[in-house]
Amino acid sequence: MTEGSIGEWKMNVGDKVSAGDILCDIQTDKATMEMESMEDGYLARILIPAGDGMIAVGKPVAIIVDSAEDIAAFADFVASDDAPAAPTAAEPARVLAERPDLRATANQGTPLRTSRAPSNVEVAVVDPNSSMITVRDALNKAMEEEMTKDEKIFVMGEEVGEYQGAYKITRGLLQKFGPKRVYDTPITEAGFCGIGVGAGFSGLKPIVEFMTWNFAMQAIDQIINSAGKTLYMSSGTISCPIVFRGPNGAAAGVGAQHSQCFAAWYMSVPGLKVLAPYSAEDAKGLLKAAIRDPDPVIFLENELLYGQEFPMSEASQSDDFVVPIGKAKIERVGEDVTLIAFSKMVGFCLDAAEELAAEGVSAEVINLRTLRPLDKDAIIESVKKTSRVVVVEEGWPTCGVGSEICTIISEEAFDYLDAPPERVTGVDIPMPYAVNLEKAALPQIHDVVRVAKRACYRSV
């Protein structure tokens, strides 16, 4: 649509206007639509009368002022068709490739809506006051703390209330916050995701739990087309602060339809932020950051990590602890090869690094934590140091997370490479059900060791 006409004005000059009030009907060659006021104030002047022919999209049609006393000042105002166009911000080179999360807002007067972290890289340290906490309990604690602070936050999903959650992540929340903030839903992902997105548009902060991300395919329209695109399509005026969370990737013996990794799927969508925690600290800090974020967040957990204990530092047990979105973490410092992973595969890379160290290879392990926006600075700086890289993921190889990272490295750090970037991925087939075949279809620690040695030109 490039033009339309005013069918009927619903307001008169001098009327008090509230945000959301219908100002007029707009007629196009395809439909009749209502134009809503975006501001509170008073209608000072109508610039385009009803039935006055076709007007281009973006042309002013009325003036709204803050105070009734200002109406008289616009009594003789005439819009100039010769007014200079608003200056546009210079577009950075290759902005879409380098910063897919960038939203140019120079002409809107609003800040860039991103939680992208500073470029300094976090390195894992050992806190002597750490406590061992499971990922399950860390996720539960994150939701409890945020729900206590903000009454707009609520949880919804299948069995999140009375049953305490299919994986007991929401244990105790119903008892503490009541049924108005912890909703058990029917088995209809399309339905309750749509309700959640609508609640986000209305100013609430839903946390939508999927029993598994495989079931989210039933609601992919609501996640991508509604939650992910509306901020852009509304010119930055309609936010959707919502978290979609649940187990992602392979569990154990659940077959092809329940074992997919959706990281690359959602990572490719502008408008979404995609997080994938590994440890208990990741789980708590990233979930709290996701809940506080003004935009839709895809939160990819791993079922096999729920019961695993990790040390949590004294600082991370504070109510104020968050992990910044867009910031990777160096779990192990190394010199010879960089191993990059997210979620469960970070543990595999740490185990592989131990084996490599026994053979004289010093491996650096990067825990991505955030997949969109990627912490490219951390990746590039590590590759500049080691000159070799292996990216590890459970997902399929075609158009995967590793494909994107290897491309970034080839584009931005090619001259620092001493060997081709390598990938270790799941096998390019639907997940087998048989235990032995399932194991063969997923990356194993010995695969990471073998490929890392190949990248270092060691015998394998």
Side-chain angles (χ1 to χ4, degrees), residues 344-379:
K344 179 186 172 186
M345 290 295 105
V346 175
F348 279 37
C349 287
L350 288 170
D351 290 342
E354 287 287 345
E355 292 191 21
L356 289 166
E359 299 187 42
V361 177
S362 173
E364 182 152 293
V365 178
I366 295 181
N367 173 10
L368 291 173
R369 302 197 294 194
T370 299
L371 301 179
R372 185 183 183 102
L374 272 174
D375 189 351
K376 295 198 295 182
D377 293 332
I379 295 169

Side-chain angles (χ1 to χ4, degrees), residues 327-453:
K327 188 170 184 178
K329 181 180 182 181
I330 297 178
E331 299 283 355
R332 181 186 177 114
V333 176
E335 302 292 335
D336 298 327
V337 61
T338 299
L339 306 180
I340 302 174
F342 60 94
S343 190
K344 179 186 172 186
M345 290 295 105
V346 175
F348 279 37
C349 287
L350 288 170
D351 290 342
E354 287 287 345
E355 292 191 21
L356 289 166
E359 299 187 42
V361 177
S362 173
E364 182 152 293
V365 178
I366 295 181
N367 173 10
L368 291 173
R369 302 197 294 194
T370 299
L371 301 179
R372 185 183 183 102
L374 272 174
D375 189 351
K376 295 198 295 182
D377 293 332
I379 295 169
I380 297 302
E381 289 306 310
S382 180
V383 171
K384 286 181 178 180
K385 178 175 66 172
T386 66
S387 299
R388 296 172 174 84
V389 62
V390 178
V391 188
V392 185
E393 62 176 313
E394 281 189 342
W396 293 314
T398 305
C399 302
V401 177
S403 302
E404 175 67 15
I405 293 174
C406 287
T407 299
I408 291 170
I409 293 168
S410 297
E411 289 177 342
E412 302 189 21
F414 181 81
D415 291 339
Y416 293 90
L417 290 172
D418 288 340
E422 296 268 16
R423 291 180 295 159
V424 178
T425 72
V427 177
D428 201 14
I429 59 171
M431 184 64 67
Y433 175 72
V435 175
N436 59 330
L437 295 180
E438 180 184 62
K439 183 176 180 180
L442 292 170
Q444 304 298 324
I445 296 169
H446 62 79
D447 296 317
V448 181
V449 172
R450 172 174 51 82
V451 176
K453 290 170 65 177

